[in-house]
Amino acid sequence: MKRSLPTIALVLVLTAAALGAERFPPPEFTNHVLPTTTTPAPRSVVADMVYIGALAVALALAALFVHVLRSRVAIVVLAIVSLGYFGWFYGGCLCPVGAVQNVAQALGGGAVLPVLVVVVFLLPLIVAIFVGRAFCAGVCPLGAIQDLVVIHPLRVPSWLDGSLRLLPYAYLGLAVLAAATGSAYLICEYDPFLGLFRLAGPLTIVIAGLSLLAIGTIIARPYCRWLCPYGLMLSWASRFSQRRVKIAPTQCVNCRLCEDACPVGAIQTPNSGRPVPRHQGRGALAATLVLLPVLVAAGAWGGKLLAPTLARLDATVRLAEQLDAEASGAAAGTTEASDAFRATARPVKDLQKDAAALREKFLLGSTLLGAFMGLTVGGKLVSLCRRTTRTTYEADKALCLACGRCLKYCPVGRGAAETALGGAAT
Amino acid sequence: MTDPRTLWHPGAARLWLRAATLSAMIAAAMAALVAVLLAVNHAYLRLADPLDSPQMTQIKTQLAVAPKDVSLRRQLSDLDSRLRQDYFTRRDMQTRGLWVLAATVALFVASTRLVVLCRRRLPHPAAHAPPPAPRSSLGRWALAGCTLMLAGAAVLAGWTTAPPAPPAPTWPAPAELAANWPAFRGFDGSGIGPAAGSSTSFDARSGKGVLWKTPLPLPGHSSPVAWGDRVFLTGGTADKREVYCIAADDGRMLWVGTVGEIPGREPPPTEILEDTGWAAPTPVTDGKFVVAVFPNGDLVCYSVEGKPAWAVNLGTPRNGYGHASSLAMYRNLVLVQYDQGGESDGRSSLLAFDIATGRQAYRRPRGVGQSWTSPIVIATNAGDQLITCSNPWVIAYQPATGTELWRVKCLEGDGGPSAAFAGGLVLAANESSMLAAIRPDGQGDVTASRITWKYDEAHHLPNICSPVADAKRAYLLTTEGMLTCLSMADGRKLWEHNLGEKCIASPTLAGGLLYVITEKGVVHMLAQADEYRPVEKADLGEPCQTCPAFVGGRMFIRTQKHLLAVGKN
Ligand code: SF4
Ligand code: SF4
């Protein structure tokens, strides 16, 4: 735990530095004394424990509400409480979504990984392995704020939904690459709701958050479905889950009442009545499997080409390029960063050496990222060839956000909930 | 939670729905309004520099003239505190506004939730057919589309974030610069003219060998610069400052640029020495523009056709004798060594402006006091460098960025002579210190390691005239007319000769000769040799304090009242 403190302190200092970006010269002709720079104290161990405790309790409650009580109302209440606590009270940081980057940076060798961060990162994933995306149900403040604004969710065609779900892979890959190289924490930097939680931040981000909420009134949880990198990891974990959300707790009677209940298109419909000619599927699958290595290679090649661009995520690389441009007369002037660098009197060669080392890292990382994206596209193509036989309405293990909306649509489920509540409703 | 529709009676549901809808709409409108106000406030905070008000600038300008004026200081202090207060009040408004925004968003969220509850309809699956099985071909196309979209975004990101390519040089090539005389003491400021030189036999009194002689409207000690068929120089008095363009072929005055009003111009200096005058700094030209600086801080640019291009006032320099440093030029930049005040005043700076637009490219504080030397731009093995001299430092900068490269502590007293560069060595000299031959590389203070040799015979060291050198010999000229020749290999004295006349103009090398012009206007032409060997002598007919410019086989030289041309027709 003690090892986590310096990291937290560093994060706080950097945050404070970012907020203190507006600087003025001291007043003239006054006896104004400039305050000395102070470093905020790291968060106490007790506060960390309280946070982990709250996260664990919230996850347990979410699982309980979805799988045992099957109560959408309870989930909504939990979401509101989580939004208040993890969002506004806690300021949205540290959160499991952002912790992905701490882990990536530590794995990249650029930082020590505090125990707190490990727990925060793993807890929702472990829970997902057992009971699905309980974190998304009503614990994650990002999910909660979107969930609470859904008014009239429109059905997004599955072909569009499926292909847009490619985006989180790219976002996750980018975020991991940027963090592993110690260049940026993209997920935090571009967290659309952080500005709303903290009541501060770049206006563009606040506007992005508000826009997502506005869109979210008719297209449920757009960030969760098509952007969230941690949501993607949760979807991987929940594929192994023992318990999926059971729309019908016992036997689905195919009454179709829940057909339109899911705002995120996570209900799989029965398809047993419509067999697909076997030869068709097989041909497509064979072609896709042949294509797969080509896609991976093409992705790797594209990633390699993209490496210089991605390397610009790093401030050192950007500064080195700026200094080059200034020296060659290409830049229209100097920047605050280049002026500040000159003020340090550090040799430009040193900086260029650091930048070259970073570019090397990005070359490898970007190639791997490209290969990963190629594999993802190939994997999705393979899954499009897959024929499953389903006879009942089921929640998709990976896509279901465990929001609980569908539960009350099921006449079978209603009886079960009443039983669980001890017949209180009768 | 209880369904609100069942709370009182069936009609209550409609009431709930209406109330919730209304509340959602009001909350949305309020949120939008607050968001707009916040955006406006945000833009104000981002764009407006609280301490950049015209009132503030005006008071600061007045204070610069009367720094001890207590009432001005109080006014500035009051205004400063008022502006800061206003700024921070707006900052507070921003924070409070965000809270209001959050509250309205929360109200909107709550209301919409209620709307959802109230409008819930029972599902009617029988009313429509079961959803069709997803078509994998559509899925594949969509996936391909999304992949292409991602690839497109990546390409776009690469395109938009790529650093700008070095522009195709709009500035003259080195050969072009060397063929002309773009700045004080030639293209690299070292006072070395073309091997061809000009005719050496002339006499301005009789007119022999003089191509033309043009009277100059205003006085000045600036030297002529020349490009192609045009010669430029400046003249000025306390009330008037002018730039002249004269035809190289026949001496016709092609145009006169009179410097007009420049916004933000400070009151003129009161302490300019007559010896310095109002037009001491030499202008620069790149063949498209000519830029001149005057001792009141006016920096003006004209096209070579005489069209005013831009003008700024750099602020009146605090300079005991008057600003005399000539301009230098590097690629597209005009470089101004703006040394003034005392060492601790923090006023001296190196400034660079885009020659075509006047946009300031950089301003680097120099941390030195006033000086009268001119910067020179040289091409070394370690890259291009801008060399400046002031007491006590010779400082080299990267001319494109103003990044300091190295410095050597070797000068003392009021700095007059500029540096010269020959045989891979920078020569910096001043009376009461030394002539230091510096190897121009290294980083930081290289005083201990880069002075190859030095020469410190006090009565041979110059206090106004800059040294000149070729790869073999360096020449020093004192104001009293003492001419000394040193070996560039080791700084050994080769010869000395007392001309017995006062000299202000720096010596120049051209056509294999050393040109030394005395204040009376006698031009001594000597062989570049290991012994004192006069070759020719000529009379300008008028006192002269400036350096000649050599272009196209002609020599242009400014005397007290005229510009005259010597050489080929
Ligand atoms: S998908 Fe991401 S943002 Fe959405 S609820 Fe899950 S973790 Fe949170
Ligand atoms: S619980 Fe899962 S399947 Fe049911 S509505 Fe929510 S996201 Fe959809």
Side-chain angles (χ1 to χ4, degrees):
Chain A
M1 197 63 229
K2 269 191 186 141
R3 285 165 65 194
S4 73
L5 299 184
T7 310
I8 297 168
L10 181 69
V11 169
L12 290 175
V13 170
L14 290 179
T15 315
L19 293 174
E22 290 162 297
R23 283 182 293 263
F24 298 110
E28 294 177 62
F29 314 127
T30 63
N31 42 13
H32 175 80
V33 180
L34 279 180
T36 45
T37 311
T38 53
T39 310
R43 209 154 46 195
S44 74
V45 178
V46 178
D48 288 347
M49 289 301 161
V50 170
Y51 175 79
I52 291 181
L55 183 65
V57 169
L59 285 168
L61 285 177
L64 179 79
F65 294 159
V66 176
H67 295 294
V68 183
L69 295 189
R70 297 172 57 81
S71 168
R72 165 71 186 158
V73 173
I75 293 168
V76 169
V77 173
L78 178 65
I80 292 171
V81 174
S82 295
L83 183 59
Y85 180 72
F86 297 113
W88 276 294
F89 176 74
Y90 214 79
C93 184
L94 173 79
C95 80
V97 185
V100 175
Q101 303 161 113
N102 299 68
V103 174
Q105 191 180 9
L107 293 179
V112 174
L113 192 58
V115 180
L116 167 74
V117 177
V118 178
V119 175
V120 167
F121 172 69
L122 286 181
L123 205 54
L125 287 171
I126 293 169
V127 170
I129 290 175
F130 291 102
V131 291
R133 296 169 72 167
F135 180 66
C136 302
V139 184
C140 173
L142 312 182
I145 196 168
Q146 295 173 82
D147 200 73
L148 293 171
V149 297
V150 177
I151 301 173
H152 185 73
L154 301 177
R155 180 189 283 271
V156 178
S158 61
W159 55 268
L160 180 61
D161 184 32
S163 47
L164 286 177
R165 286 184 193 272
L166 194 62
L167 300 181
Y169 287 86
Y171 195 11
L172 176 67
L174 260 183
V176 166
L177 177 59
T181 51
S183 304
Y185 270 26
L186 294 181
I187 301 175
C188 301
E189 217 172 299
Y190 297 103
D191 184 330
F193 305 113
L194 215 57
L196 297 180
F197 295 151
R198 294 189 183 165
L199 304 172
L203 187 69
T204 39
I205 295 292
V206 174
I207 289 175
L210 289 173
S211 309
L212 273 179
L213 287 187
I215 293 170
T217 56
I218 50 168
I219 297 181
R221 300 180 76 158
Y223 182 79
C224 298
R225 289 154 86 182
W226 302 314
L227 281 171
C228 181
Y230 193 63
L232 177 65
M233 299 178 79
L234 286 170
S235 78
W236 293 339
S238 58
R239 279 179 206 275
F240 302 100
S241 65
Q242 317 281 312
R243 302 187 67 143
R244 73 168 82 203
V245 165
K246 282 200 150 193
I247 307 170
T250 51
Q251 181 56 46
C252 168
V253 292
N254 280 351
C255 67
R256 292 179 59 199
L257 284 173
C258 68
E259 200 168 75
D260 293 324
C262 182
V264 296
I267 295 180
Q268 296 170 314
T269 50
N271 62 0
S272 55
R274 287 165 263 146
V276 179
R278 292 193 76 80
H279 66 274
Q280 244 185 36
R282 250 191 253 145
L285 183 63
T288 311
L289 286 175
V290 170
L291 195 64
L292 194 62
V294 179
L295 284 172
V296 173
W301 177 73
K304 197 173 164 191
L305 290 185
L306 198 60
T309 303
L310 293 184
R312 277 178 214 123
L313 285 170
D314 192 277
T316 304
V317 174
R318 287 199 301 272
L319 180 58
E321 285 186 349
Q322 173 67 23
L323 290 171
D324 278 350
E326 287 174 14
S328 71
T334 61
T335 61
E336 277 187 9
S338 67
D339 287 344
F341 176 78
R342 283 189 192 95
T344 63
R346 197 180 149 212
V348 177
K349 270 191 200 136
D350 281 10
L351 184 85
Q352 303 286 22
K353 223 164 86 192
D354 291 354
L358 278 159
R359 284 195 191 101
E360 282 294 310
K361 281 189 188 176
F362 269 98
L363 186 64
L364 175 68
S366 183
T367 310
L368 289 176
L369 171 60
F372 169 70
M373 287 311 293
L375 190 67
T376 303
V377 173
K380 284 201 173 280
L381 285 175
V382 169
S383 78
L384 281 172
C385 304
R386 234 184 47 217
R387 305 283 161 217
T388 45
T389 305
R390 203 178 302 108
T391 53
T392 56
Y393 284 85
E394 287 169 8
D396 185 301
K397 271 186 180 179
L399 306 185
C400 170
L401 298 174
C403 71
R405 278 189 181 82
C406 57
L407 302 179
K408 62 167 68 172
Y409 283 77
C410 180
V412 184
R414 191 165 278 272
E418 282 158 4
T419 314
L421 288 167
T426 51
Chain B
M1 195 201 279
T2 314
D3 187 333
R5 282 177 292 188
T6 61
L7 270 182
W8 297 292
H9 57 85
R14 214 170 303 140
L15 213 63
W16 271 106
L17 181 60
R18 273 211 203 129
T21 312
L22 193 68
S23 144
M25 278 160 60
I26 292 172
M30 272 173 68
L33 182 70
V34 176
V36 169
L37 290 176
L38 281 174
V40 172
N41 202 35
H42 177 85
Y44 180 87
L45 287 171
R46 283 294 296 271
L47 300 178
D49 178 350
L51 302 182
D52 194 26
S53 81
Q55 218 184 337
M56 185 91 135
T57 316
Q58 197 192 342
I59 299 178
K60 280 191 167 172
T61 310
Q62 291 167 351
L63 249 176
V65 183
K68 301 230 155 51
D69 187 325
V70 178
S71 102
L72 274 177
R73 289 164 74 117
R74 192 169 315 117
Q75 274 182 44
L76 181 63
S77 176
D78 290 349
L79 182 65
D80 182 286
S81 111
R82 210 170 53 238
L83 290 172
R84 279 171 208 260
Q85 251 167 32
D86 175 57
Y87 181 81
F88 285 105
T89 309
R90 278 179 182 275
R91 281 268 310 264
D92 288 350
M93 270 167 60
Q94 197 74 358
T95 315
R96 276 197 292 271
L98 279 169
W99 277 107
V100 177
L101 184 66
T104 48
V105 168
L107 181 63
F108 175 75
V109 168
S111 308
T112 46
R113 291 299 309 156
L114 209 52
V115 171
V116 170
L117 273 177
C118 293
R119 293 183 53 163
R120 202 168 50 196
R121 298 267 178 275
L122 289 176
H124 288 288
H128 57 81
R135 280 173 50 204
S136 43
S137 61
L138 252 183
R140 282 189 199 105
W141 280 113
L143 196 61
C146 202
T147 310
L148 282 179
M149 211 174 72
L150 274 176
V155 170
L156 194 72
W159 186 55
T160 50
T161 61
T170 51
W171 50 84
E176 234 183 319
L177 287 168
N180 288 287
W181 200 267
F184 179 56
R185 308 190 73 219
F187 77 100
D188 71 348
S190 290
I192 301 174
S198 76
S199 83
T200 52
S201 169
F202 62 93
D203 180 32
R205 284 188 199 274
S206 65
K208 182 190 132 205
V210 174
L211 289 177
W212 47 259
K213 186 172 173 182
T214 301
L216 297 171
L218 296 181
H221 297 313
S222 61
S223 303
V225 294
W227 194 284
D229 57 0
R230 283 160 199 249
V231 186
F232 305 95
L233 70 171
T234 62
T237 61
D239 312 317
K240 208 173 180 189
R241 287 156 297 281
E242 289 180 337
V243 177
Y244 307 118
C245 174
I246 291 163
D249 291 335
D250 53 16
R252 257 178 315 126
M253 182 70 80
L254 294 176
W255 53 263
V256 175
T258 305
V259 181
E261 273 308 308
I262 298 179
R265 180 190 278 153
E266 297 179 354
T270 50
E271 47 188 357
I272 286 188
L273 272 194
E274 212 182 312
D275 277 355
T276 310
W278 287 87
T282 299
V284 285
T285 179
D286 65 348
K288 289 186 196 139
F289 297 95
V290 55
V291 187
V293 70
F294 293 91
N296 67 338
D298 283 355
L299 182 71
V300 295
C301 177
Y302 292 88
S303 72
V304 290
E305 284 83 29
K307 230 171 94 201
W310 50 267
V312 288
N313 184 279
L314 307 177
T316 306
R318 312 289 184 274
N319 194 311
Y321 303 141
H323 183 72
S325 174
S326 298
L327 299 173
M329 193 172 67
Y330 181 70
R331 294 180 177 166
N332 61 324
L333 299 177
V334 179
L335 307 166
V336 191
Q337 181 181 332
Y338 214 47
D339 289 350
Q340 48 177 318
E343 195 178 321
S344 54
D345 291 359
R347 285 182 165 277
S348 299
S349 52
L350 173 68
L351 297 138
F353 297 87
D354 182 77
I355 197 164
T357 61
R359 180 188 56 79
Q360 185 177 306
Y362 60 79
R363 177 182 204 125
R364 304 272 171 249
R366 283 190 18 93
V368 295
Q370 58 185 359
S371 75
W372 299 267
T373 66
S374 301
I376 68 168
V377 177
I378 59 172
T380 75
N381 292 339
D384 297 340
Q385 299 188 358
L386 177 84
I387 310 291
T388 61
C389 296
S390 56
N391 178 7
W393 295 103
V394 177
I395 307 177
Y397 299 90
Q398 198 175 52
T401 61
T403 308
E404 184 178 320
L405 298 170
W406 53 261
R407 50 169 64 207
V408 166
K409 194 174 189 175
C410 60
L411 302 173
E412 276 174 39
D414 289 346
S418 308
F421 179 62
L425 294 174
V426 169
L427 302 181
N430 198 19
E431 69 170 351
S432 71
S433 53
M434 65 173 88
L435 165 74
I438 304 162
R439 195 147 51 80
D441 54 20
Q443 192 110 32
D445 183 350
V446 294
T447 309
S449 60
R450 295 299 194 277
I451 298 183
T452 306
W453 52 260
K454 49 184 155 186
Y455 181 79
D456 53 9
E457 197 68 49
H459 66 288
H460 290 159
L461 292 173
N463 75 336
I464 293 181
C465 308
S466 311
V468 69
D470 58 19
K472 288 187 182 151
R473 301 170 202 91
Y475 304 91
L476 299 178
L477 179 64
T478 68
T479 317
E480 293 74 33
M482 175 61 80
L483 187 60
T484 312
C485 176
L486 307 175
S487 158
M488 277 296 278
D490 51 11
R492 191 170 30 93
K493 187 175 81 183
L494 297 175
W495 53 264
E496 66 173 75
H497 178 80
N498 193 347
L499 294 169
E501 274 184 66
K502 191 174 174 191
C503 296
I504 303 290
S506 305
T508 308
L509 296 177
L513 297 175
L514 170 68
Y515 285 70
V516 180
I517 305 174
T518 67
E519 201 194 19
K520 281 192 184 146
V522 179
V523 185
H524 297 267
M525 286 161 265
L526 316 172
Q528 290 176 233
D530 284 347
E531 71 281 330
Y532 171 71
R533 191 164 5 116
V535 174
E536 196 77 60
K537 201 168 170 180
D539 191 354
L540 294 172
E542 265 179 30
C544 174
Q545 297 193 348
T546 65
C547 299
F550 293 86
V551 174
R554 296 181 183 133
M555 177 174 79
F556 304 99
I557 183 146
R558 177 189 206 153
T559 56
Q560 193 173 39
K561 296 211 164 102
H562 294 89
L563 177 73
L564 43 96
V566 170
K568 287 190 291 207
N569 221 336

